[in-house]
Amino acid sequence: MTFKNHISLTLFYLLSVFSLLTQSQTAPPPLYAVGPGGNGGGRWAVLQKSIGVSAMHMQLLRNNKVVIFDRTDFGTSNLSLPTGKSCRRNDAVVKLDCSAHSVLYDVASNTYRPLTVQTDVWCSSGAVHPDGTLVQTGGYNTGDRKIRLFTPSTTTYAAVDGSDGDDSDWVELPADLKVRRWYATNHILPDGRVIVVGGRKQFNYEFFPQNTPPELFSLPFLNSTSDRFEENNLYPFLHLLPDGTLFIFANRRSISFDFTKKRIVKEFPAIPGEKRNYPSTGSSVLLPLRGREAEVMICGGAPNFAFYKSEKLRIFVEGSRTCGRLRVSDFNPKWVMERMPMSRVMSDMILLPTGDVLIINGASKGTAGWEDAVDPVLNPILYYPTQPVHSKRFRVMNPSAIPRLYHSSAILLPDGRILVGGSNPHVKYNFTTFYPTELSLEAFSPPYMGPEYSYLRPTIVSVEAMNNVILYGHKFSIKFVVACNPLYREITVALIAPSFATHSFGMNQRLVYLDVVGGVQQVTAFGYKVNVVAPPTKNVAPPGYYMLFVVHGGIPGECAWIKIDN
């Protein structure tokens, strides 16, 4: 599969279905035939049985490649470094480690190659800088204060070994963070900086690039949300709100925080029910943005003392069955609670191009931690945020055959599939026990990927902007083709920021709908043009690279990458 738009292939496809389309112009089959509230749907495919590394952390880059990495303090991985790459000599576990702990996965070719990471990246965090570089921070041991960069290659060539010639790799900066960052959370800000918040015993935050001189800023809110013995406030959920403040959620409480004036603007009501952050580990998304209204959704988690019971008593408490939605832009916000079809802890939540939310991975009992959860939840859930009947908002999808528990991850791919990897609830790689270490990669295809919707799927031909760079508040055009005439359903255009996924939270994940101006114009038999307006401000969409999806009545095509700039 390729993510380049080849018009010749598109025309070939259109001709192949032309006779079918001219025979009948009846309405297409209903989308998601089972409908909200039903069961079944979606397809699973194993992409790689082993990449040699367990996918604890994942980040999609603008060249359609995914940086994947694990930790380094458990010994050697199942993937060797190539000749010429420097072995690690700074690990207390093995004196000389010549195995890879990171890979670069090429989505188009379904191939991967080893990368070199020099210090321990265990339970670290990341965000993509506006120039497309992954800024990755913290970890454990020698890596707990490190800042690492991974810049995607944009020029490739046919190498002698048959590869595309991409030799990009990790770079560690000589300057360190102010304090250790283990289980911290990062977010890109409107001014292009990255804020790094919290971590184990760190009730503070700092920025990258660092202030001159480097500064550390206190955040007592994190201290007040830390439970004795369990914490339950690690990997806090961060979301940039359209008013420019930062939503910070830890344990059961949340605030909007003005990071420019260093003050709490508002404290929201506590979410009812269970604890929601590590190790109780629920997940969160900022629901799709239209205008300046903002709504946060949080699902799953575990009751108080669930970690203690699993860790010390080997009693695995049932996880949370609830999701809460909070319209933070309201004058007097209140949590609206809903019940999922099953209990979940350690699930990932992913925004789909349709605006729906996929809840995937995790367990039904226990918490995050070494061997602290049982009963994997194999069925993803599709959640429809705009469905007016609450009882019809959840739909259970077809199950995977592979449990994805502690240290698993999932991200959205440019073609609309979900890349799923990882799961290692053990101190070391262990392939012979219950819930063995997983080195595989899978793809989950939501129902909109079904072949019965192929002729409704739009293919982007061009984005009419110089070098695919769009300016805030400016109008631009998108040309696309659909193998049906006329269009059957509404066209929407969505921008999605790719997330840094680890420990059940997609850092920086964001979906912004673009306003369509003047409707959709038909320019050829199967070609269309739509004019849209870029996001109005950096608060709505921070500068950087986004996946642009055209969605035809609930069926998205492959994305085009665009950059939002001043």
Side-chain angles (χ1 to χ4, degrees), residues 33-279:
V34 176
N39 292 318
R43 293 171 293 126
W44 288 90
V46 175
L47 302 176
Q48 293 285 346
K49 292 183 178 179
S50 172
I51 58 171
V53 173
S54 191
M56 185 187 299
H57 314 76
M58 292 201 291
Q59 173 72 62
L60 173 68
L61 301 173
R62 64 188 178 97
N63 60 355
N64 295 321
K65 296 182 181 181
V66 181
V67 176
I68 299 173
F69 55 99
D70 195 1
R71 45 190 274 253
T72 66
D73 64 326
F74 61 88
T76 58
S77 74
N78 283 29
L79 180 65
S80 297
L81 289 171
T83 302
K85 291 289 186 180
S86 299
C87 300
R88 298 177 61 253
R89 299 175 183 272
N90 60 354
D91 199 301
V93 180
V94 289
K95 292 183 178 180
L96 185 65
D97 185 357
C98 295
S99 67
H101 298 279
S102 177
V103 302
L104 186 66
Y105 174 72
D106 188 324
V107 178
S109 63
N110 188 27
T111 58
Y112 61 93
R113 64 176 177 85
L115 299 174
T116 306
V117 61
Q118 287 298 322
T119 53
D120 196 353
V121 287
W122 181 19
C123 298
S124 52
S125 50
V128 174
H129 188 269
D131 69 2
T133 296
L134 171 60
V135 179
Q136 198 277 317
T137 54
Y140 191 62
N141 288 329
T142 59
D144 62 7
R145 294 175 60 190
K146 290 297 180 183
I147 304 170
R148 309 169 190 86
L149 305 180
F150 191 95
T151 302
S153 173
T154 55
T155 57
T156 57
Y157 56 91
V160 175
D161 62 1
S163 69
D164 62 4
D166 180 354
D167 59 357
S168 53
D169 211 334
W170 288 103
V171 174
E172 286 200 0
L173 299 185
D176 285 344
L177 297 166
K178 286 287 290 182
V179 296
R180 72 192 298 247
R181 297 293 176 187
W182 194 31
Y183 300 95
T185 304
N186 294 11
H187 205 295
I188 190 71
L189 299 176
D191 60 10
R193 292 181 300 167
V194 174
I195 189 170
V196 187
V197 178
R200 176 150 285 167
K201 298 181 180 179
Q202 298 298 340
F203 311 124
N204 50 60
Y205 63 95
E206 58 186 296
F207 297 97
F208 177 85
Q210 294 166 314
N211 294 8
T212 305
E215 292 182 87
L216 190 67
F217 302 94
S218 176
L219 187 57
F221 169 75
L222 293 178
N223 191 11
S224 68
T225 56
S226 182
D227 290 338
R228 192 178 181 186
F229 304 121
E230 288 195 325
E231 297 170 291
N232 285 323
N233 70 341
L234 301 180
Y235 279 124
F237 303 144
L238 303 186
H239 301 293
L240 178 68
L241 302 180
D243 64 3
T245 63
L246 195 65
F247 177 86
I248 304 177
F249 183 100
N251 199 317
R252 294 179 54 239
R253 294 168 52 198
S254 53
I255 58 173
S256 63
F257 184 70
D258 187 333
F259 51 86
T260 61
K261 297 180 179 179
K262 308 175 187 62
R263 66 183 182 91
I264 293 175
V265 177
K266 190 172 193 175
E267 179 153 4
F268 301 105
I271 191 171
E274 295 80 7
K275 313 288 180 155
R276 308 289 175 164
N277 290 90
Y278 184 94

Side-chain angles (χ1 to χ4, degrees), residues 17 47 54 73 87 104 108 142 224 242 245 250 269 339 346-347 383 433 435 483 506 508 537-538 556:
V17 299
L47 302 176
S54 191
D73 64 326
C87 300
L104 186 66
T142 59
S224 68
T245 63
R339 285 179 64 81
M346 297 186 295
S347 293
Y383 177 80
T433 188
Y435 314 131
N508 308 289
T537 69
K538 298 178 181 180

Side-chain angles (χ1 to χ4, degrees), residues 31-39 382-384 387 389 391-396:
L31 299 181
Y32 312 135
V34 176
N39 292 318
L382 194 57
Y383 177 80
Y384 303 86
Q387 165 61 240
V389 182
S391 62
K392 296 183 178 181
R393 286 182 175 172
F394 293 99
R395 175 183 169 193
V396 179

Side-chain angles (χ1 to χ4, degrees), residues 438-561:
E438 267 302 331
L439 307 181
S440 64
L441 290 181
E442 289 179 286
F444 176 72
S445 296
Y448 57 59
M449 301 287 293
E452 65 270 31
Y453 304 124
S454 294
Y455 70 105
L456 302 175
R457 187 162 293 118
T459 299
I460 296 174
V461 175
S462 65
V463 177
E464 297 185 354
M466 184 68 69
N467 298 320
N468 279 22
V469 176
I470 63 176
L471 306 179
Y472 288 100
H474 284 220
K475 185 171 72 173
F476 66 100
S477 300
I478 306 164
K479 289 184 177 178
F480 61 95
V481 293
V482 178
C484 62
N485 183 2
L487 294 178
Y488 282 117
R489 291 188 173 93
E490 177 188 11
I491 290 291
T492 57
V493 179
L495 293 183
I496 299 182
S499 63
F500 180 89
T502 190
H503 290 75
S504 303
F505 183 55
M507 302 178 194
N508 308 289
Q509 186 174 203
R510 194 176 201 84
L511 189 157
V512 180
Y513 284 116
L514 301 186
D515 291 333
V516 174
V517 180
V520 180
Q521 307 169 42
Q522 185 166 4
V523 293
T524 64
F526 300 101
Y528 300 87
K529 179 179 178 179
V530 61
N531 296 316
V532 295
V533 180
T537 69
K538 298 178 181 180
N539 295 339
V540 174
Y545 287 90
Y546 290 76
M547 294 182 280
L548 183 149
F549 288 94
V550 174
V551 183
H552 175 211
I555 306 298
E558 294 180 4
C559 80
W561 284 96

